[in-house]
Amino acid sequence: MTTKSVARPAVAPLAASAQDSTSPVVEIRDLTVAYNENPVVWDVDLDVERGKVTAIVGPNGAGKSTMLKAVLGLVPIAAGHVRVFGSDLRSVRARVAYIPQRGTVDWDFPTDALDVVTMGRYGQIGWLRRPDKRDRQIALECLAKVGLSDFAKRQISQLSGGQQQRVFLARALAQEADLYLMDEPFAGVDAVTERTIVTLLHEVRNAGKTVVAVHHDLQSVPEYFDNVGLLNVKLIASGSVPDVFTEENLKLTYHNAGNAGLETSREMQPISNGSSTPAGAFLR
Amino acid sequence: MIAPALLGFDISWDATLRNVILGSLILGLMSGVLGSFSVLRRQSLIGDTLAHAALPGICLAFMLSGTRTNEWLLTGGLATGLVGIFVMMAISRWSQVKPETALGIVLSVFFGFGILLLTRIQHSNDAGQSGLDRFIFGQAATILPRDLVVMGIIAAISLSVVVLLFKELKVLSFDPDFAAAQGLRPGVTSSILAALIVGVVMMGLQTVGVVLMVSLLIAPAVAARQWTRSLSSMIVLSGAFGMLSGVLGAVSSSLGDRLPTGPMIVSVASVIVIISILAAPDRGILSRIQRRRDRARRMRDDLIQIDHQGRVIW
């Protein structure tokens, strides 16, 4: 795998942004999120660097997905604030693409792959208007990028788990965003899908865009990601993978994941992945 | 059986039957269209709670005003129906009780209270009492021309909203978090949809009744899902199934002597559902069995080939 290139791509200047290229794409300050007065994210400060692929890593229940949702404004924030591209999220939504966990939707919904990818255009299209030829064209191109051109008219219930994940990625690409927030994109996918997603993430980064992904598999972090944030309710450490992704920091992050410690939680990983496979995949 | 009734009877009978056909046609269409979203969003039981919780309101409206006009009775029904929904939301928000359990609690408590009031009314000596029980199982023959006007207006509004907000409703039903992240305001879309469903449930109380109204929301959509591969075709077919169930059920009930309409409509809808679950291509049970047989045959053929190469299989 040669994608772990040392040479960083030149950061493309982003139009319509008063920010300079070194300022963080996402600034999280003193962020606290609670469910029923129970803090799941506590006092987190995190900067996401522009033009990098950043992993958010931590044990189950560490608040990784919640933090992502807080950045997107999908869960109420108890304290602190988040700025995206230096502004309030609401004014820059069109530039932010979200890829939810595959298991959060009903894949038995009556629709085909192309239609789901076209949903990535809905934000730009705006209220009351319909997707036009150009939107379909963009959606088809994005399906091609994830290697699913032949599946455009396939019912989404008939796609494998990996193909469904790639449809979600294509939907985000169709948004033509500058920041991609992904929740467990590699959970329970096949090798082809994992390769496709990694290649695309690096392509997106090399085009000067920014990717943040909640990630579970510790072994692939150095190969796939430039930066990493270690989260266990509190932020343990964040920065470049060589600086931060150390055994000591990982022990701090996983210290209360049962008696398990680092090794066990790595072994437990395939089990939790397997359980997220939708039953629909077996009914074909 | 229907045709001679239309042709042979006197004017007043014809007008009643015409009202019944038109009313149940509109109701079935609306239930089918809006029910598709309820079913896909797995929220059809909220409609059930709303319908059941309307009964005490209908009775209270009658006891307080003494009128039997639908407008007053349904306003009362709407009020307690909405109270029921809010109580349900409050229970699941502030306690450990799960939402579907909260639905069940609210549904039965409100309906029980409604039956209590209804029994009181029927045992009182009030002259206008008779006929209130039509709201339990429905009585399509009581549809009046002015009811049709209201139903027509609600239907026109609902259909326009579904056409105009089709894309928003689709992404809301499939992936509300994604819709929110795109700034498509799923909360707004969802509230509009809820208002439309409240409208159609209220519209159906008189025809189908509080007990069985929900099946007119669920059954056509479930049947339509079996035959279709896109949301738009599912909605169209669901609307058609709803119309068919509504018209056949309501007409057959008005031809009999005070046959309640709800059970008749539900029976027709159930037949459509059973046929769809069994016989639909791709998703139907029969076609699945057929596919499994084909696979087994292919596998047997493969095994025989290996056998020809001299390997012992068994």
Side-chain angles (χ1 to χ4, degrees):
Chain A
M1 196 46 201
T2 54
T3 39
K4 192 195 165 189
S5 71
V6 191
R8 295 289 174 228
V11 175
L14 289 157
S17 170
Q19 281 192 302
D20 64 84
S21 59
T22 54
S23 58
V25 170
V26 183
E27 291 172 66
I28 300 173
R29 291 287 173 275
D30 312 323
L31 178 71
T32 295
V33 183
Y35 288 136
N36 300 323
E37 286 75 48
N38 191 19
V40 279
V41 174
W42 185 258
D43 198 22
V44 166
D45 291 287
L46 179 68
D47 284 343
V48 174
E49 207 179 339
R50 186 184 300 265
K52 295 284 165 66
V53 180
T54 301
I56 306 294
V57 171
N60 287 330
K64 306 183 294 291
S65 302
T66 305
M67 190 179 84
L68 213 59
K69 287 184 175 175
V71 171
L72 286 156
L74 298 180
V75 294
I77 289 173
H81 71 267
V82 175
R83 293 180 80 73
V84 182
F85 295 112
S87 358
D88 187 274
L89 174 79
R90 272 168 294 187
S91 56
V92 290
R93 273 198 196 280
R95 298 173 61 193
V96 182
Y98 174 45
I99 298 150
Q101 282 185 28
R102 196 175 81 241
T104 56
V105 305
D106 175 13
W107 288 93
D108 196 35
F109 197 86
T111 188
D112 56 38
L114 179 62
D115 194 41
V116 172
V117 176
T118 309
M119 285 181 196
R121 304 295 306 158
Y122 284 8
Q124 269 99 321
I125 296 169
W127 285 76
L128 301 178
R129 307 214 332 268
R130 292 285 163 100
D132 59 18
K133 247 186 171 166
R134 193 176 147 267
D135 296 312
R136 298 266 158 205
Q137 193 53 44
I138 292 171
L140 277 171
E141 284 163 16
C142 294
L143 265 178
K145 281 183 197 163
V146 299
L148 290 177
S149 291
D150 296 341
F151 295 84
K153 285 291 165 192
R154 181 73 65 93
Q155 285 283 293
I156 57 171
S157 56
Q158 316 245 310
L159 298 171
S160 73
Q163 290 166 337
Q164 290 172 347
Q165 189 66 55
R166 281 188 269 163
V167 165
F168 261 13
L169 180 59
R171 181 177 68 170
L173 293 173
Q175 218 177 312
E176 300 178 326
D178 297 316
L179 169 64
Y180 293 82
L181 301 176
M182 317 177 77
D183 202 346
E184 304 255 9
F186 302 106
V189 300
D190 54 282
V192 176
T193 299
E194 185 147 344
R195 203 52 34 219
T196 312
I197 295 176
V198 171
T199 310
L200 276 168
L201 292 194
H202 291 167
E203 266 175 33
V204 163
R205 173 197 61 196
N206 295 347
K209 297 173 178 189
T210 309
V211 178
V212 180
V214 170
H215 193 55
H216 237 115
D217 175 31
L218 296 176
Q219 263 143 348
S220 55
V221 168
E223 187 188 341
Y224 294 172
F225 295 93
D226 306 315
N227 291 346
V228 64
L230 297 172
L231 187 75
N232 188 347
V233 185
K234 295 174 188 175
L235 189 75
I236 309 299
S238 70
S240 74
V241 171
D243 292 346
V244 171
F245 201 66
T246 61
E247 198 165 322
E248 194 182 347
N249 277 339
L250 285 172
K251 272 182 182 152
L252 282 172
T253 311
Y254 285 84
H255 71 96
N256 62 349
N259 268 343
L262 178 53
E263 290 307 314
T264 320
S265 65
R266 195 185 287 173
E267 282 168 22
M268 279 164 64
Q269 189 42 39
I271 300 167
S272 65
N273 281 353
S275 66
S276 69
T277 308
F282 297 111
L283 293 172
R284 278 176 293 137
Chain B
M1 195 176 168
I2 298 162
L6 276 169
L7 298 171
F9 287 81
D10 63 80
I11 291 281
S12 66
W13 178 221
D14 266 7
T16 310
L17 195 58
R18 188 203 61 199
N19 293 345
V20 167
I21 290 173
L22 265 177
S24 41
L25 187 139
I26 295 173
L27 177 68
L29 173 68
M30 297 324 304
S31 309
V33 169
L34 298 174
S36 300
F37 295 107
S38 294
V39 166
L40 289 175
R41 299 183 67 208
R42 303 177 174 189
Q43 293 188 340
S44 34
L45 289 181
I46 293 181
D48 200 20
T49 302
L50 181 71
H52 277 78
L55 187 62
I58 290 168
C59 296
L60 284 173
F62 173 77
M63 291 165 95
L64 293 177
S65 70
T67 62
R68 287 174 56 204
T69 52
N70 280 329
E71 291 82 354
W72 280 110
L73 298 179
L74 289 180
T75 305
L78 179 65
T80 52
L82 293 180
V83 168
I85 298 293
F86 283 122
V87 171
M88 183 275 290
M89 278 167 24
I91 290 175
S92 50
R93 170 78 181 80
W94 301 110
S95 75
Q96 300 290 318
V97 177
K98 297 223 158 29
E100 58 272 23
T101 316
L103 280 172
I105 296 169
V106 169
L107 183 150
S108 40
V109 168
F110 276 65
F111 183 65
F113 184 53
I115 293 289
L116 191 86
L117 292 177
L118 192 64
T119 316
R120 269 192 68 93
I121 291 169
Q122 281 175 329
H123 289 165
S124 71
N125 291 323
D126 203 318
Q129 67 180 24
S130 65
L132 217 54
D133 56 340
R134 72 179 187 272
F135 285 103
I136 295 181
F137 289 119
Q139 196 69 58
T142 59
I143 295 178
L144 301 172
R146 59 173 188 181
D147 297 333
L148 286 179
V149 174
V150 177
M151 290 170 107
I153 292 170
I154 295 179
I157 293 172
S158 302
L159 287 181
S160 317
V161 169
V162 169
V163 170
L164 285 173
L165 294 184
F166 183 71
K167 148 174 132 291
E168 284 76 14
L169 288 167
K170 186 199 279 182
V171 70
L172 167 78
S173 308
F174 177 62
D175 194 346
D177 272 357
F178 178 77
Q182 284 215 319
L184 284 167
R185 310 289 297 277
V188 173
T189 322
S190 164
S191 307
I192 293 172
L193 182 63
L196 300 183
I197 289 174
V198 168
V200 74
V201 167
M202 289 303 133
M203 192 161 109
L205 292 188
Q206 179 187 9
T207 314
V208 186
V210 299
V211 178
L212 295 172
M213 179 56 215
V214 71
S215 61
L216 199 50
L217 280 176
I218 298 176
V222 167
R225 175 69 189 99
Q226 289 295 107
W227 304 89
T228 51
R229 299 164 59 87
S230 75
L231 180 61
S232 48
S233 56
M234 174 178 168
I235 290 171
V236 169
L237 191 61
S238 180
F241 283 160
M243 281 198 279
L244 191 67
S245 316
V247 172
L248 286 183
V251 168
S252 56
S253 93
S254 4
L255 292 178
D257 184 26
R258 285 189 67 81
L259 274 175
T261 319
M264 304 298 276
I265 290 181
V266 171
S267 304
V268 178
S270 306
V271 170
I272 297 177
V273 168
I274 291 166
I275 292 172
S276 302
I277 286 178
L278 281 177
D282 283 358
R283 297 173 64 88
I285 290 174
L286 296 179
S287 108
R288 277 184 198 197
I289 292 173
Q290 185 61 45
R291 271 205 304 277
R292 190 175 303 162
R293 282 211 184 124
D294 290 350
R295 255 204 314 274
R297 187 174 304 127
R298 269 203 305 278
M299 195 173 129
R300 263 201 313 278
D301 293 350
D302 289 348
L303 289 175
I304 288 164
Q305 267 187 358
I306 297 166
D307 205 29
H308 281 310
Q309 289 165 4
R311 285 224 195 116
V312 180
I313 306 298
W314 49 81

